[in-house]
Amino acid sequence: MGGLDLRELECFLVLGEELHFGRTAQRLYVSQGRVSQLVRALERRIGGRLFERTSRRVRPTPLGERLLAELRPGYDAVHAAVDSARAAARGVEGTLRLGFLAGTGHGELVDAIRTFQRRHTGSEVVLTEVPLADPFGDLRRGEIDAAVVMLPVAEPDLVVGPSFSRQPQTLAVSARHPLARRASVTAEDLAACPMLDIGGSAPGYWREISAPATTPGGRAIPRGPAVRTMQEALTTIAADRGGMLFCAPTARSQNRPDVVFVPVTGLPDSVLGLVWHRERETARLRAFGRALAEGA
């Protein structure tokens, strides 16, 4: 590679996808400072700036856009060659047990399953729904090979693979709730609606995705009853006992006259990701992750 550092190239490509130093660091399992260090090192090798950085956004320079376009095919070809060798040595054929949260089995995920099974005709994806209250339990018990869950995931024994389906958030409330008559609500309006808690063993930071304790401005959000599954949540919401945040595709997949999904402004988009146990990575799993990343 003529003195090039593959880690620098990988960091450059991931930052080119995420356009965010924090998310890039999370995907690469390094600090944000290390991401900045790797990008600066590559810029010194190239002899020009590859990204414009401000306090509000990151975007490629014209030079960075050109390098991204020219580098990605070669980088993907290297990974494809390695995956092909691993498949030959370890075998991709067989069953991939894939868990998913209710409402996430659509769009890019379905396309990735079709692509994976078309490429690897001896493989099959078996789907299993994982509960809101215990999103990582099946992975840790070895009952599934990977799971599609909401991000972020910050579990030391789990690997976060490709992310996809970045979508606006919506507030699910009873059709009788005052906010149901609004065309949209702001994040600060959430203080007027108790948020259903996700019970069970889901970590606190992960429960905050669907049921934040405070608004971005620091106002306390009342806590509603605890639920363990999607259907429990929707039924409790329909009974006007609280609300919950859902991504837009999940909202579109639900068809209940007693529950209204209201768009929310002022919150980060929801993101889905593929996660698996650090000690159980296989060629089959990597092949599926690549199919998912290509369609994201």
Side-chain angles (χ1 to χ4, degrees), residues 178-232:
L179 293 179
R181 297 189 290 271
R182 301 267 293 272
S184 66
V185 297
T186 69
E188 296 303 312
D189 291 327
L190 299 181
C193 180
M195 289 286 114
L196 301 186
D197 191 19
I198 298 176
S201 61
Y205 74 86
W206 196 82
R207 298 200 303 268
E208 283 277 316
I209 302 170
S210 298
T214 61
T215 69
R219 300 173 65 193
I221 300 176
R223 186 63 74 196
V227 295
R228 298 178 63 87
T229 68
M230 174 73 78
Q231 290 307 312
E232 282 185 20

Side-chain angles (χ1 to χ4, degrees), residues 205-259:
Y205 74 86
W206 196 82
R207 298 200 303 268
E208 283 277 316
I209 302 170
S210 298
T214 61
T215 69
R219 300 173 65 193
I221 300 176
R223 186 63 74 196
V227 295
R228 298 178 63 87
T229 68
M230 174 73 78
Q231 290 307 312
E232 282 185 20
L234 291 172
T235 301
T236 305
I237 291 168
D240 204 12
R241 300 188 63 196
M244 182 175 278
L245 294 175
F246 291 95
C247 65
T250 299
R252 290 193 293 267
S253 70
Q254 304 300 318
N255 185 21
R256 293 185 58 139
D258 50 2
V259 175

Side-chain angles (χ1 to χ4, degrees), residues 1-5 45:
M1 297 293 289
L4 288 178
D5 187 321
R45 292 179 191 274

Side-chain angles (χ1 to χ4, degrees), residues 95-216:
T95 300
L96 178 70
R97 303 166 300 168
L98 181 63
F100 68 100
L101 289 171
T104 63
H106 49 69
E108 296 100 323
L109 179 59
V110 172
D111 291 343
I113 292 172
R114 291 172 177 162
T115 298
F116 173 74
Q117 294 185 150
R118 184 177 65 250
R119 289 177 179 173
H120 309 285
T121 55
S123 298
E124 178 186 16
V125 177
V126 175
L127 296 170
T128 300
E129 185 177 335
V130 297
L132 284 172
D134 188 17
F136 312 127
D138 288 352
L139 274 177
R140 290 177 168 138
R141 290 187 294 270
E143 296 173 5
I144 56 176
D145 302 307
V148 171
V149 298
M150 298 177 293
L151 297 183
V153 171
E155 305 298 299
D157 59 334
L158 301 182
V159 175
V160 180
S163 59
F164 64 103
S165 192
R166 185 177 299 276
Q167 299 283 348
Q169 298 205 58
T170 64
L171 173 66
V173 292
S174 165
R176 300 188 300 276
H177 194 282
L179 293 179
R181 297 189 290 271
R182 301 267 293 272
S184 66
V185 297
T186 69
E188 296 303 312
D189 291 327
L190 299 181
C193 180
M195 289 286 114
L196 301 186
D197 191 19
I198 298 176
S201 61
Y205 74 86
W206 196 82
R207 298 200 303 268
E208 283 277 316
I209 302 170
S210 298
T214 61
T215 69

